[in-house]
Amino acid sequence: MTPESLARMLETYLAEARDAVVLEDGQTIFDLNTARYSVSAEHGKCVLHLWSAERNTVRRVLEAEVKHDVLRLSVQRFGQSKPAKLDICRERDRRTPSARKAARAAYQRRLGRILERGFPDLRVERLSSAMDLGRSFGPIYCRGLLRRGRSAFAVLGVNAQETQPSIDASLTFGLLWLEHLRQREAARSVVEGLKLFVPAGTAAVVRERMAHLNRGAAKFELYELNEPEESLEAVDTADRGNIATRLMRSPDEAAARERFAASIARITSLLPQAEAVVLSPSAMAFRLRGLEFAQARLEAERGSFRSAEQIVFGVGANETVLDEGNAPFFEHLVGALAQARQADGRRDDPLWRMRPERWLESLVVRDVSALDSRLDPAAVYSQVPAFSASDRAMIDVLTTTRDGRLAVLELKADEDIHLPLQGLDYWARVSWHHARGEFQQYGYFPGRELIAEAPLLFLVAPALRVHPATDTLLRYLAPEIEWTLLGVDERWREGVRVVFRKKRTTPTADQRG
């Protein structure tokens, strides 16, 4: 393969592998959720540059092939003649199917022993990790039932070898398992609630979510399980005010746009419809219908204390510093974006398919009142950072009603079973910061008076792509969370139009358990 064809192969694969990990000698060295890369094919060489806060790696790519959805590269370190192997994997869990199956079977046996010792007054019924696609249950989670007479508890556990996202998602499947057992056992027993077991040191996200469930609907218990010691530690989920989160200050929009006026002028001259978004006092992003393709930054000049404006370009995690040598390539990228990123564009084009949620978000931000007439289009923020000890959350859209009540919008462009609980994450963080008066303290909503009521929560997805489990999950959210589920027309790229709307209703006696 020529250097040019190798570069194209890398760029095509990486453009659609935003969650990929990079392995060298079997060890993960980069996570493309947080790392960045650039690919070049100059001077007869294909060069891959990867960097993150922890490391910086440059490799010459000699050969490439895709095998079992893994991009396998033969690379050469500079200064060394012997080739090495670099794997870029879409799937984060690199265990073989047999290793995953063995680990889950061993965990099932271990969980059974722990339940028998930890809850001697309850009888453990058969645990299972069997696939049940009709009810959205997969082999990652071990499910079961604890019974005492006509009283019972749903049980769901996840082992320490699963990924952190799978552990964070366990509450979603725990609630669905609880609902399934309540229906299955209705004539035999009362399933009082859910006992959820996660690995030691991993409960942060689940704890915050469980703290905002409806305690009148079920009893919820969370435990961290130390597998080597086969011990349990109960996690307190009753304190709804204890959220580990910090809000980032809103940058001064006018000052940032003035600072980056030259970059804004250069890019909008090529693409007038580009969205210029202030990220921070020292960074500006450029997007087309939600897809980021360039950033302008202030970088320290070599040998000086001064800062200079720099533009980097690329889609996904790809970044290349713009200079006179690659300016024609940048112009080609902009032209390709303008052609592909249209509502009637080619659906097989990676540039059309990329970041559909951000595309939907860009339309919503343009006129948020199209979703609900109460929302104020003059007070809208997108991608608001609210960090915690366990993740780097970005709230899709934060706005207010016309009378000053905060509203959180969580958007999905495709079917996603986790929509309700991810929306709950952001609602909880916004509610926490709002109760402490931090939004206006940190520069959000200047000149506006925010009322003290808890935020509204809007969950938005194309009408035919709302997961069937969504209604069940929403019934378990705490009563004070005033949610609205909005289904938009499937042709939302042509314009956002709401085709159905559901709001919270008072739980019935059956739902309260």
Side-chain angles (χ1 to χ4, degrees):
M1 298 178 71
T2 66
E4 290 75 18
S5 61
L6 282 170
R8 283 195 299 272
M9 186 176 184
L10 263 70
E11 288 169 346
T12 300
Y13 183 92
L14 290 168
E16 296 189 302
R18 59 179 296 187
D19 295 324
V21 291
V22 182
L23 286 78
E24 190 169 46
D25 300 327
Q27 299 296 314
T28 299
I29 59 172
F30 291 101
D31 180 339
L32 293 185
N33 254 328
T34 54
R36 294 290 180 264
Y37 72 88
S38 68
V39 179
S40 66
E42 299 175 356
H43 310 297
K45 298 177 181 179
C46 176
V47 176
L48 174 63
H49 180 194
L50 296 150
W51 67 95
S52 68
E54 291 78 31
R55 55 170 57 91
N56 187 50
T57 296
V58 179
R59 298 287 184 267
R60 179 184 177 187
V61 180
L62 306 175
E63 296 177 359
E65 67 171 340
V66 177
K67 190 172 183 179
H68 304 305
D69 212 24
V70 175
L71 180 61
R72 295 188 167 170
L73 306 177
S74 174
V75 300
Q76 190 175 49
R77 294 181 175 92
F78 288 102
Q80 297 186 13
S81 58
K82 185 178 179 181
K85 297 295 182 184
L86 203 69
D87 287 347
I88 304 177
C89 313
R90 295 182 195 271
E91 177 59 58
R92 289 167 175 265
D93 187 347
R94 299 304 303 149
R95 294 175 295 168
T96 64
S98 59
R100 286 196 291 266
K101 185 176 181 180
R104 290 163 183 170
Y107 176 78
Q108 183 173 308
R109 294 190 294 271
R110 181 178 291 116
L111 180 61
R113 294 193 298 269
I114 292 170
L115 291 174
E116 289 175 354
R117 290 198 306 267
F119 305 95
D121 57 330
L122 297 169
R123 185 176 80 257
V124 182
E125 298 209 345
R126 187 176 73 90
L127 299 173
S128 173
S129 298
M131 184 84 74
D132 186 348
L133 294 180
R135 298 185 178 89
S136 301
F137 299 132
I140 292 175
Y141 305 104
C142 182
R143 311 178 301 276
L145 184 73
L146 290 173
R147 191 188 300 277
R148 179 179 55 226
R150 287 187 54 80
S151 174
F153 273 88
V155 168
L156 186 135
V158 55
N159 74 72
Q161 293 187 48
E162 306 297 346
T163 64
Q164 186 62 48
S166 294
I167 295 167
D168 295 343
S170 61
L171 183 56
T172 291
F173 296 101
L175 292 175
L176 296 178
W177 178 239
L178 167 62
E179 185 71 11
H180 168 66
L181 290 180
R182 283 182 159 180
Q183 295 176 14
R184 191 188 78 181
E185 300 287 322
R188 184 181 177 189
S189 59
V190 176
V191 182
E192 296 185 40
L194 170 69
K195 296 181 187 288
L196 185 62
F197 300 85
V198 299
T202 67
V205 170
V206 177
R207 189 205 68 78
E208 291 178 9
R209 291 176 175 177
M210 193 175 279
H212 292 84
L213 297 183
N214 185 355
R215 301 288 163 164
K219 296 177 181 177
F220 301 105
E221 299 175 12
L222 177 62
Y223 299 88
E224 287 195 334
L225 190 159
N226 186 311
E227 293 181 38
E229 298 178 4
E230 294 198 354
S231 61
L232 290 177
E233 182 177 347
V235 178
D236 179 17
T237 64
D239 184 1
R240 296 182 179 181
N242 184 22
I243 297 180
T245 177
R246 60 186 177 88
L247 185 66
M248 298 300 291
R249 179 170 293 279
S250 178
D252 185 327
E253 289 263 345
R257 291 182 183 280
E258 183 178 351
R259 187 175 300 121
F260 290 105
S263 294
I264 294 172
R266 179 172 185 177
I267 290 177
T268 55
S269 69
L270 296 172
L271 191 63
Q273 63 269 45
E275 305 142 11
V277 182
V278 177
L279 301 178
S280 73
S282 59
M284 171 84 69
F286 297 91
R287 301 169 185 162
L288 180 61
R289 297 178 179 90
L291 179 59
E292 186 171 311
F293 63 92
Q295 280 193 17
R297 303 171 182 166
L298 292 181
E299 297 287 343
E301 288 184 333
R302 186 172 299 177
S304 169
F305 292 104
R306 295 183 303 176
S307 295
E309 216 169 313
Q310 179 187 81
I311 294 177
V312 296
F313 68 94
V315 294
N318 191 359
E319 284 190 3
T320 301
V321 176
L322 180 61
D323 57 32
E324 294 309 313
N326 56 35
F329 180 72
F330 175 59
E331 293 173 11
H332 173 76
L333 171 64
V334 168
L337 279 168
Q339 183 175 4
R341 207 78 173 159
Q342 301 286 341
D344 58 353
R346 286 177 45 200
R347 298 194 174 200
D348 61 345
D349 190 322
L351 293 176
W352 189 89
R353 295 199 306 267
M354 289 179 73
R355 306 291 196 270
E357 286 167 19
R358 300 286 77 81
W359 191 334
L360 176 58
E361 176 189 305
S362 70
L363 300 177
V364 167
V365 168
R366 190 179 302 167
D367 182 13
V368 73
S369 64
L371 296 177
D372 193 296
S373 60
R374 292 174 294 170
L375 300 177
D376 188 351
V380 182
Y381 296 89
S382 64
Q383 296 296 293
V384 177
F387 303 160
S388 77
S390 57
D391 70 353
R392 184 181 187 276
M394 301 294 283
I395 300 162
D396 283 351
V397 178
L398 179 66
T399 184
T400 70
T401 60
R402 297 178 191 275
D403 62 355
R405 185 175 183 182
L406 283 172
V408 181
L409 280 63
E410 173 67 359
L411 312 175
K412 296 294 181 186
D414 293 306
E415 187 174 284
D416 192 327
I417 196 171
H418 304 296
L419 172 61
L421 293 195
Q422 287 180 354
L424 174 63
D425 280 345
Y426 304 137
W427 179 92
R429 296 179 196 212
V430 169
S431 182
W432 193 90
H433 290 295
H434 177 46
R436 288 152 183 78
E438 292 185 0
F439 283 105
Q440 291 178 311
Q441 179 185 339
Y442 282 75
Y444 296 87
F445 308 107
R448 292 176 176 268
E449 183 175 348
L450 301 179
I451 62 178
E453 288 184 75
L456 299 171
L457 173 61
F458 291 86
L459 305 171
V460 184
L464 300 181
R465 299 173 190 267
V466 175
H467 196 282
T470 299
D471 284 343
T472 298
L473 295 168
L474 286 172
R475 289 201 300 270
Y476 282 102
L477 299 192
E480 66 266 22
I481 301 173
E482 193 175 330
W483 55 261
T484 300
L485 175 64
L486 301 174
V488 299
D489 191 286
E490 292 291 317
R491 296 161 296 183
W492 54 264
R493 286 178 176 85
E494 300 172 10
V496 177
R497 182 172 65 88
V498 176
V499 296
F500 81 75
R501 183 185 309 266
K502 294 182 181 179
K503 294 186 177 183
R504 166 178 284 285
T505 57
T506 303
T508 65
D510 289 341
Q511 291 167 351
R512 289 192 294 269

